[in-house]
């Protein structure tokens, strides 16, 4: 029998890679999108005719119940969220409604329609924030440093509570930073790759970033969605840290990206105080040994390969004549 999977947030980076992965596994894929004047399907163009898109909103539980009843999925992957840290400072209530309470609405809908549905919650390394230990594991205490991180902590714990209280198969993946050529341009690794491409092609002369010494554990999104699927194939639900176990600074990203096109980053990169966070997180580096041991998962794309892949993709896009906002002056940056 063909399995059916519902993906919320399917138009995002992770949603598009997960949809691809599940199609390869023979799934019927249903993607939930919010009603808006413009739905961005750029990441799904190549598979759009193989998936079913349906309207639904984490703010509206009735719509969630309707989607679940109509399509009766075997698995639900909740990737939807208000996911940008700076925006969470500007819109903390909206972030809480979507990123935190939206998960409760979805879990409630599953309980009403079919408690046998397997549920995946996209948790985040931002929950660790002011880290209590290095590296971080599934047992490391949370200390979020932004409204986004706080909302993700709520979503994580409500998932655990529904699992333990109602017996739902609800797993949580605590994913550390992960990028790709499909990464939003407001994220720092994409801002760097696009900035390098623009400078190399003569469309920009400098790249303004925040704290160059900030460090991140950064992997490839295509590797991380495989871990999501593996979590829902286990005999029992659980929480898993998904990370590379390596830490790299923003400065290192710049060095690799610029050197890939034969340039010295020091000639172009400016550290701008406007891009510093109100409260910076500390050293985020994940210990994914549990996922490696129990899921058989490991990352396949290295940090260097990822950065070069992103630069090459943006160079090709600019060469095709694609238009992007001026990343040299972007201020709504999640780092």
């Amino acid at each position: 029998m063909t399995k059916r999977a519902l993906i919320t947030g399917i138009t995002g980076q992770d949603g598009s890679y997960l949809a691809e992965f599940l199609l390869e596994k023979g799934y019927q894929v249903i993607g939930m999108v919010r009603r808006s004047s413009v739905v961005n399907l750029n990441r799904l163009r190549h598979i759009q005719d193989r998936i079913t898109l349906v309207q639904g909103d984490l703010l509206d539980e009735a719509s969630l119940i309707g989607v679940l009843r109509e399509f009766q999925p075997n698995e639900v992957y909740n990737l939807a969220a208000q996911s940008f840290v700076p925006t969470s400072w500007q819109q903390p209530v909206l972030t809480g409604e979507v990123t935190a309470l939206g998960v409760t609405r979805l879990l409630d809908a599953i309980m009403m329609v079919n408690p046998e549905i397997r549920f995946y919650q996209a948790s985040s390394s931002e929950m660790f924030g002011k880290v209590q230990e290095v590296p971080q594991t599934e047992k490391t205490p949370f200390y979020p440093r932004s409204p986004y991180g706080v909302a993700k902590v709520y979503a994580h714990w409500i998932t655990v509570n529904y699992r333990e209280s109602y017996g739902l198969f609800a797993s949580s993946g605590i994913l550390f930073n992960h990028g790709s050529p499909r990464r939003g341009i407001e994220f720092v690794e994409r801002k760097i790759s696009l900035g390098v491409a623009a400078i190399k092609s003569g469309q920009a002369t400098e790249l303004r970033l925040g704290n160059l010494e900030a460090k991140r554990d950064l992997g490839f999104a295509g590797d991380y969605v495989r871990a999501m699927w593996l979590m829902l194939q286990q005999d029992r639900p659980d929480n898993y840290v998904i990370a590379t176990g390596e830490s790299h600074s923003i400065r290192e990203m710049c060095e690799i990206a610029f050197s890939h096109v034969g340039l010295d980053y020091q000639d172009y990169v400016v550290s701008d105080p406007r891009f510093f966070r109100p409260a910076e997180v500390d050293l985020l580096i994940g210990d994914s040994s549990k996922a490696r041991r129990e899921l058989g998962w490991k990352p396949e794309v290295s940090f260097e390969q990822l950065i070069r892949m992103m630069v090459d993709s943006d160079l090709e896009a600019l060469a095709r004549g694609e238009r992007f906002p001026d990343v040299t002056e972007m201020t709504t940056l999640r780092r």
Side-chain angles (χ1 to χ4, degrees):
M1 184 179 71
T2 301
K3 279 189 174 183
R4 290 181 299 279
L6 171 67
I7 304 173
T8 72
I10 194 171
T11 60
Q13 168 190 253
D14 291 7
S16 66
Y17 278 108
L18 179 59
E20 273 182 354
F21 179 85
L22 294 177
L23 287 171
E24 291 172 3
K25 291 288 182 183
Y27 280 66
Q28 177 186 350
V29 176
I30 302 100
M32 194 179 83
V33 295
R34 288 181 297 115
R35 171 72 177 90
S36 63
S37 57
V38 178
V39 178
N40 185 353
L41 300 178
N42 289 341
R43 298 182 178 96
L44 300 172
R45 295 290 182 204
H46 60 301
I47 57 172
Q48 191 174 343
D49 60 344
R50 300 170 60 198
I51 62 179
T52 301
L53 296 179
V54 61
Q55 287 184 9
D57 198 314
L58 291 180
L59 297 178
D60 179 17
E61 188 165 334
S63 70
L64 303 177
I65 293 170
V67 170
L68 293 175
R69 283 179 175 164
E70 180 178 358
F71 292 97
Q72 293 292 322
N74 306 99
E75 300 169 0
V76 171
Y77 296 85
N78 182 42
L79 311 185
Q82 191 303 99
S83 60
F84 305 125
V85 171
T87 299
S88 78
W89 287 105
Q90 297 159 6
Q91 297 179 306
V93 175
L94 175 65
T95 299
E97 285 285 355
V98 177
T99 305
L101 292 179
V103 180
T104 312
R105 296 185 188 100
L106 186 50
L107 287 166
D108 265 341
I110 289 172
M111 286 290 298
M112 292 181 197
V113 176
N114 179 8
E116 297 303 310
I117 292 172
R118 295 194 168 201
F119 176 77
Y120 170 82
Q121 167 59 20
S123 289
S124 168
S125 60
E126 290 288 333
M127 300 189 304
F128 296 120
K130 187 176 176 67
V131 299
Q132 303 300 291
E133 64 181 3
V134 179
Q136 294 86 53
T137 73
E138 294 80 5
K139 297 185 182 299
T140 301
F142 299 135
Y143 196 142
R145 298 273 277 172
S146 68
Y148 169 77
V150 171
K152 279 293 187 181
V153 169
Y154 175 95
H156 177 84
W157 279 118
I158 202 67
T159 300
V160 172
N161 272 258
Y162 270 65
R163 175 204 307 164
E164 295 179 349
S165 300
Y166 300 121
L168 287 185
F169 193 108
S171 288
S172 180
I174 306 173
L175 272 56
F176 281 63
N177 287 48
H178 47 287
S180 75
R182 301 177 195 172
R183 188 63 147 157
I185 59 174
E186 63 274 10
F187 291 86
V188 69
E189 61 269 26
R190 183 70 194 286
K191 184 177 181 183
I192 290 171
S193 68
L194 189 53
V196 168
I199 289 170
K200 180 64 175 179
S201 60
Q203 299 181 36
T205 57
E206 68 174 19
L207 177 60
R208 290 184 172 271
L209 300 170
N211 179 13
L212 299 183
E213 306 313 319
K215 292 187 176 181
R216 295 291 183 270
D217 183 328
L218 180 67
F220 172 51
D223 287 337
Y224 285 38
V225 301
R226 178 164 36 89
M228 300 176 188
W229 175 78
L230 285 168
M231 289 179 210
L232 297 197
Q233 313 313 308
Q234 303 306 302
D235 292 333
R236 61 181 182 85
D238 209 341
N239 306 325
Y240 297 91
V241 165
I242 304 300
T244 68
E246 301 176 359
S247 183
H248 300 277
S249 68
I250 307 303
R251 188 180 299 278
E252 285 180 80
M253 290 186 203
C254 293
E255 289 175 343
I256 293 168
F258 277 91
S259 65
H260 184 55
V261 296
L263 299 176
D264 184 342
Y265 83 96
Q266 297 180 86
D267 294 334
Y268 305 97
V269 174
V270 178
S271 182
D272 189 330
R274 292 180 301 160
F275 296 94
F276 283 62
R277 286 183 174 186
E280 181 60 85
V281 298
D282 296 317
L283 182 55
L284 289 175
I285 180 168
D287 178 355
S288 60
S289 56
K290 178 180 177 181
R292 297 175 191 237
R293 181 178 65 253
E294 296 186 8
L295 305 180
W297 176 86
K298 65 178 181 179
E300 296 178 354
V301 176
S302 72
F303 175 75
E304 292 80 6
Q305 288 172 321
L306 171 61
I307 299 302
R308 292 171 186 143
M309 175 200 309
M310 293 176 67
V311 170
D312 287 340
S313 176
D314 282 330
L315 280 170
E316 292 169 6
L318 291 179
R320 289 194 302 267
E322 291 190 26
R323 305 284 296 178
F324 295 97
D326 181 7
V327 296
T328 62
E329 284 297 327
M330 282 179 58
T331 57
T332 55
L333 175 65
R334 176 188 175 193
R335 283 212 305 78

